[in-house]
Amino acid sequence: MSLPPLLLLLLLPPPFLTLEPARASLIRIPLRRVNIGFKALNPLRGWEKLAEPPRLGAPAPGNKSLFVPLSDYMNVQYYGEIGLGTPPQNFSVVFDTGSSNLWVPSVRCHFFSLPCWLHHRFNPKASSSFRSNGTKFAIQYGTGRLAGILSEDKLTIGGITGATVTFGEALWEPSLVFTFAHFDGILGLGFPVLAVGGVRPPLDRLVDQGLLDKPVFSFYLNRNPEAADGGELVLGGSDPAHYIPPLTFVPVTIPAFWQIHMERVQVGTGLTLCARGCAAILDTGTSLITGPTEEIRALQKAIGAVPLLMGKYYIECSKIPTLPPVSFLLGGVWFNLTAQDYVIQITRSGFSVCLSGFMALDVPPPSGPFWILGDVFLGSYVAVFDRGDRKSGAQVGLARARPRGTRQ
């Protein structure tokens, strides 16, 4: 089972935007960035043994692409808007490559489930296309358990309308971390084997119904703190304007999470980690870059980070220009992060705090151990997630993200 993204304790969600009429096949929906001061970064993910091998959906021919804009909170949380029902009821969701279910809060939620009352809730009586399923589902998170029932209705996403999906209506959200989150729910973009209850994931349903030509999508996460938007999720392909060619494609080794083989990690010229190769997961639902405790501890020492509470590390902001690069060898190509890339800088009322973008996380066998390349990595490199087909396996393409405002 996959777990939810790294979350922040946030204030109430921002207003939702109304979808504009489509003018072309590529649809871009701008969302606002929320800038609020320092909050704790709490990892909630946990990992369990996969019960069965994944089954990959067959892609349809064609070359359609769709764009779903992403909003970013303090460079550690990205989310966008979808609609459920007829007429669409708007929800803000995290697009998470580490899970495969879609769920949102329900008007039928438990009276004592506080997150329900502070977020947009799905009302089946307000939708003419709603179909009851009633099957119970539950997802175990690191700090709580989400439970509810499965339902069926129409999904609106990035200009696509009329897609029939099975989704979860959350009836009980005991984890307080959801209470102040800016997003309402989660839309998983992992492989079908991760889906709780055997539900067909939203991406597969779009392809099955001919609304998306192929099971390919890409993320461009805008980490510019001065920008108004957080980036874009592109469904059906990628936008070359988002990255500097070429794309380096790395095969997926276990098609459940987006897991690949990482050959080595280098910190400056003096420290080598993952020396014999190791597993790594590309996960948009994880804010930081995580790895085994001993290796991350050595990395933090090499970049001069000082331990704080709950696994966080502090870095003196004035030292950023002198810190060593951290490089990842993937598919025979080095992907370099400068300190500007891997240090999270938070400024409020003229006061700045700098935190390391790395965190220790020991994932036990049989799923682990592995590294997680989360948003700190994906903010610097565009990732193209390609599920492949019966002839070619799944793969991930990586290329340096093109800075906003630049041209090809």
Side-chain angles (χ1 to χ4, degrees), residues 106-110 121-122 124 130 132 149-151 169-171:
S106 172
V107 294
R108 299 182 278 182
C109 65
H110 194 284
R121 295 175 291 158
F122 178 76
F130 173 79
S132 178
I149 57 174
L150 296 178
S151 297
E169 290 188 62
L171 304 181

Side-chain angles (χ1 to χ4, degrees), residues 55-312:
R55 300 185 195 72
L56 301 185
N63 191 33
K64 295 178 184 176
S65 297
L66 301 163
F67 289 81
V68 179
L70 302 172
S71 180
D72 163 31
Y73 175 73
M74 268 183 0
N75 287 339
V76 290
Q77 190 180 88
Y78 294 85
Y79 52 92
E81 187 178 275
I82 64 168
L84 283 171
T86 307
Q89 301 173 41
N90 290 340
F91 297 93
S92 180
V93 298
V94 170
F95 294 99
D96 178 23
T97 58
S99 66
S100 299
N101 286 85
L102 167 61
W103 65 264
V104 296
S106 172
V107 294
R108 299 182 278 182
C109 65
H110 194 284
F111 179 80
F112 293 105
S113 184
L114 183 59
C116 279
W117 304 105
L118 298 177
H119 290 86
H120 291 76
R121 295 175 291 158
F122 178 76
N123 184 359
K125 294 183 179 179
S127 172
S128 61
S129 52
F130 173 79
R131 292 182 61 184
S132 178
N133 180 302
T135 302
K136 294 181 180 180
F137 81 97
I139 302 176
Q140 183 67 47
Y141 295 146
T143 59
R145 186 171 185 262
L146 173 76
I149 57 174
L150 296 178
S151 297
E152 186 177 295
D153 215 326
K154 301 296 184 180
L155 171 68
T156 299
I157 179 172
I160 293 180
T161 59
T164 301
V165 297
T166 300
F167 67 99
E169 290 188 62
L171 304 181
W172 178 238
E173 298 176 60
S175 176
L176 287 178
V177 77
F178 288 116
T179 302
F180 301 107
H182 275 277
F183 60 86
D184 300 309
I186 295 174
L187 190 152
L189 290 167
F191 289 82
V193 70
L194 295 182
V196 174
V199 172
R200 190 76 167 151
L203 180 71
D204 297 79
R205 295 297 292 146
L206 292 175
V207 175
D208 292 344
Q209 296 168 54
L211 298 171
L212 193 66
D213 288 324
K214 50 188 176 180
V216 179
F217 58 94
S218 59
F219 277 89
Y220 170 48
L221 304 183
N222 185 8
R223 297 182 68 81
N224 179 2
E226 304 300 323
D229 66 298
E232 284 182 324
L233 161 65
V234 183
L235 298 177
S238 62
D239 183 355
H242 287 164
Y243 59 85
I244 301 172
L247 283 166
T248 297
F249 281 92
V250 184
V252 171
T253 54
I254 300 179
F257 304 108
W258 289 89
Q259 182 170 325
I260 60 176
H261 177 71
M262 183 161 64
E263 293 132 87
R264 196 154 68 250
V265 178
Q266 192 76 29
V267 184
T269 57
L271 177 63
T272 298
L273 305 172
C274 178
R276 298 182 179 179
C278 56
I281 285 175
L282 283 298
D283 187 4
T284 60
T286 294
S287 302
L288 309 181
I289 296 173
T290 76
T293 296
E294 292 304 317
E295 294 197 295
I296 292 296
R297 187 177 292 140
L299 186 155
Q300 304 283 26
K301 182 178 180 181
I303 64 176
V306 179
L308 295 174
L309 297 175
M310 300 178 66
K312 284 50 165 207

Side-chain angles (χ1 to χ4, degrees), residues 342-378:
Y342 65 72
V343 174
I344 298 174
Q345 302 181 61
I346 303 167
T347 301
R348 187 177 186 182
S349 301
F351 177 74
S352 295
V353 174
C354 291
L355 301 175
S356 169
F358 300 96
M359 193 171 186
L361 179 63
D362 292 311
V363 182
S367 297
F370 53 66
W371 288 63
I372 301 177
L373 304 182
D375 295 339
V376 167
F377 179 86
L378 296 172

